[in-house]
Amino acid sequence: MNDKIGARAGDPATNPVPDAALAAAAGPACGARLRALLRHSARGLLRHLLPSACALCGGDSDDALCSGCAAQFFGPAAAVARCPRCANPLPGQASGAVEATAGAPQGRPGAPGRTAMAGQLCGVCLIAPPAFDRTLAAADYALPVDQLVLQLKFGHRLALAPLCALLLRDAVLAEGNVALPALLCPVPLGPRRLAGRGYNQALEIARPLARGLGIALAPRLLQRVRETAAQSSVAPERRQQNIAGAFAVPDAALVAGRHIGVVDDVMTSGRTLNEVAATLKRHGAARVSNFVFARTPPH
C-alpha cells in the first residue's frame, strides 16, 4: 500500500499547515491565553533575576513593603491619636486606640484611621501655638520605621520615596476631613548639603505625593538662603538660632492668600518647619500645613 494513501489529512509529515493558518484557526482566545502565559513567565523570570525583599523585615515581597509590615506598622492597629497641629501623640493614647469621632468617616483599611481624641490640641500647641496650622504624619519615627527614612536619606535608596509618599497619602486620605493645600513644596536643602547628597529626599517624596493627592507641586517655592548645620547635630537650646532666617520666598505672589503644604521626611523638634511656616506667612500665606512621613515622638 502506498504510504501516502495511509496518511491522515493534515498530518504535518505529509500535509504541513503554515503557522499563520494554525494561529488563525486557534482564534483570539488561544492568542490571549498565549499572551497571558508569556506575561506570567516574564514576571517569574524578573522575580528570579531581581528578587524583591521587604524594606523593613527583609522577607520576600513583590512590593517594597510586605503586607505583614504594612499592617503592623501602618495599619489601624498602629494608629494613635495625634495633636492635629504638631502631630505629636496625645497623652494616654496607645497604639491601636482607633475609634470614630462622631459623624466622622472611618479610615480606609490598611491606613491609620481617625481616633477618639481627634481634633484636640496638645498642651504645647495650646500654650505656644506654632506658625504652622496642621501637621499630618504617616508614622512615628521609631524602630523599625525609621529605617525607611535612613535608607532613603543616607543609603541612596530613592525607590523608597514613592513608598513613603504612598503611606503618607493614605494617612492623609484616612483623616477624611483634611483641607488640601493649593500647592505643595519641599523643605529645601542648602547647596552644600544638596551637592554632597545628590538629591533632596523631601522633594523625592513630594513629587509622588503631589500626584497622589492631585495637588500642584512648586519645588522652588522656597529657597534656603543660609547654610545651616543639621538640626540633629545642634543642641536643643540652639536649634532655633541655627535655623532662623534660613529660608526665603522668591515669588510672594505664589504664596499670598493661599494654603501652602510643606513636605519633609521627618519632623523632630518642629523648629525647621516652624521657621518655614513663619517665612511663608510673612509673605502672605493664609494657611500652612505640614506633610511629613515620620514624626519623632517627644522624649
Side-chain angles (χ1 to χ4, degrees), residues 110-267:
R114 289 182 55 80
T115 50
M117 299 175 69
Q120 178 177 323
L121 294 176
C122 69
V124 174
C125 288
L126 286 171
I127 295 170
F132 48 79
D133 300 280
R134 183 153 194 180
T135 300
L136 296 117
D140 282 338
Y141 186 70
L143 284 169
V145 172
D146 60 347
Q147 294 305 306
L148 296 177
V149 174
L150 294 174
Q151 290 175 54
L152 168 62
K153 198 169 183 176
F154 303 113
H156 299 271
R157 291 193 61 184
L158 292 176
L160 292 176
L163 171 64
C164 293
L166 175 63
L167 294 168
L168 180 51
R169 184 209 66 177
D170 285 349
V172 172
L173 296 180
E175 286 292 316
N177 65 339
V178 177
L180 294 178
L183 294 173
L184 275 184
C185 68
V187 174
L189 291 178
R192 186 177 62 216
R193 197 174 306 167
L194 181 61
R197 185 170 298 159
Y199 58 91
N200 179 358
Q201 71 281 353
L203 176 58
E204 297 303 319
I205 294 173
R207 284 194 182 106
L209 181 64
R211 290 193 297 268
L213 293 175
I215 302 172
L217 178 65
R220 297 180 182 82
L221 186 70
L222 281 165
Q223 286 185 355
R224 190 179 288 253
V225 294
R226 185 169 67 80
E227 289 280 4
T228 60
Q231 288 286 74
S232 58
S233 68
V234 178
E237 64 273 12
R238 296 182 59 84
R239 287 178 179 174
Q240 183 57 49
Q241 180 183 354
N242 178 56
I243 203 68
F247 303 102
V249 176
D251 189 353
L254 293 175
V255 171
R258 306 181 85 175
H259 180 185
I260 306 299
V262 180
V263 180
D264 209 356
D265 56 338
V266 180
M267 179 178 182

Side-chain angles (χ1 to χ4, degrees), residues 77-89:
V80 297
R82 297 182 183 276
C83 170
R85 194 149 194 176
C86 71
N88 263 330

